[in-house]
Amino acid sequence: MMSTPLAIFVGMPGHELSPSEIAFFREANPFGLFLFKRNLDNPDQIRHLVAQFKGAVGRADAPVYIDQEGGRVQRLDNGNWPLFRSLGEFGALARKDLETGKYALRLSTLAMGTMLGELGLGSGTTPVVDLARPGTHNVIGNRSFGDDPELVTTLGRVVVEAMLEVGSMPIFKHIPGYGRVNVDPHFTCPVVDASVADMQQTDFRPFIALRDAPWAMVAHLIFTRIDPDHPASVSPLVCELIRRDLGFDGVLITDCLTMEALTGTWPERVSAALDAGYDIALHSQGDLAASEAAAKAARPLGAQSLARIARAEKRLGSTHVDVQALHAEVETIFRENGFA
């Protein structure tokens, strides 16, 4: 009988799997593979890499995800694919004309999701529904739709529904919110002192409104009024708040655990995230030895997590659109509305 996959996504360093990497995936059986620009060269190469991973773990439905939000966070950007606009640009268009902004965002999302599916990639881990205020660190910046919780929610909903329509898993991030960070969690741990009541009226609002979305990615930052000792991604108290107060019962995956917002060895971080109650740990650094160590610290997916994953998968549609045609239409809309 096939073993239950480990509750972890891992990365790898190159354009194809080496024999030792194939052996690792076959033995460890991590739930998914997370790819970066270093792994993505051309369509045939990507499809081959995806097939290698799925063959190694013996699961045709094993997920392979990337970051593909648009703007400065899109891994498919080497000239083989259209370049998609940032979520911040769609926010700007929507502030000028809401219906036009929603329409253009829907077209762009359908095109992006179809493009991912054609490559065998199951998600671009989008949308970002953090609020971006004037003082928010540029690590978010124009990755966000803006600072208005209502508009961010409205546009986030467009992305979630359009991605589901074309069979690409939407993963909204970074719950419970990076909107107040003034440092980059890739390098240091942000600290937020706001009260829970204040956050409920601001940063938490898009996450609460989108609580029926299938997946969410958890932030690395300390909320002093919730858990002053642990970043959200390794905090049982924050996990409880997400489940209870924000009402989210979808799949919770951490942001990458190799970011410097966290302390401890990478295996310790994996254990801490899963001990906190999150469904899946993300360890996408990509070195084989590090992935092996992280996998040893993981554990098989639990029954609740498997149920959440199954519910999410049932929501995926099968619509297929003309990527180039929709992308061109979106660009025309932006030009006609005075955007470069």
Side-chain angles (χ1 to χ4, degrees), residues 217-238:
M217 180 176 285
V218 184
H220 299 316
L221 75 167
I222 289 176
F223 288 100
T224 60
R225 308 292 184 93
I226 304 169
D227 186 343
D229 300 318
H230 303 96
S233 52
V234 293
S235 168
L237 294 175
V238 175

Side-chain angles (χ1 to χ4, degrees), residues 257-329:
L257 295 171
T258 65
M259 291 164 62
E260 294 306 314
L262 304 180
T263 59
T265 66
W266 289 344
E268 288 170 346
R269 300 178 193 189
V270 170
S271 293
L274 298 177
D275 287 344
Y278 296 114
D279 295 295
I280 300 172
L282 173 59
H283 184 282
S284 53
Q285 189 270 347
D287 173 79
L288 177 58
S291 293
E292 288 174 332
K296 287 177 181 176
R299 64 201 64 162
L301 285 160
Q304 277 192 312
S305 298
L306 288 168
R308 291 177 180 126
I309 291 166
R311 286 199 303 269
E313 293 292 327
K314 288 179 181 178
R315 297 178 61 183
L316 294 175
S318 58
T319 298
H320 189 276
V321 302
D322 185 323
V323 175
Q324 296 294 343
L326 265 61
H327 182 266
E329 184 174 352

Side-chain angles (χ1 to χ4, degrees), residues 77-154:
D77 66 350
N78 65 7
N80 284 317
W81 301 277
L83 293 177
F84 293 84
R85 290 184 180 259
S86 69
L87 300 183
E89 290 176 281
F90 287 101
L93 179 59
R95 284 189 290 275
K96 181 178 180 180
D97 183 323
L98 178 59
E99 291 307 314
T100 299
K102 289 168 60 180
Y103 176 71
L105 178 60
R106 172 174 156 74
L107 295 186
S108 184
T109 305
L110 291 173
M112 185 186 293
T114 296
M115 183 184 78
L116 291 168
E118 290 174 346
L119 298 170
L121 302 171
S123 177
T125 56
T126 187
V128 175
V129 295
D130 304 296
L131 304 186
R133 299 178 175 82
T136 302
H137 193 279
N138 193 49
V139 69
I140 297 301
N142 69 357
R143 296 171 64 191
S144 164
F145 294 114
D147 63 357
D148 176 0
E150 185 173 348
L151 181 66
V152 170
T153 297
T154 296

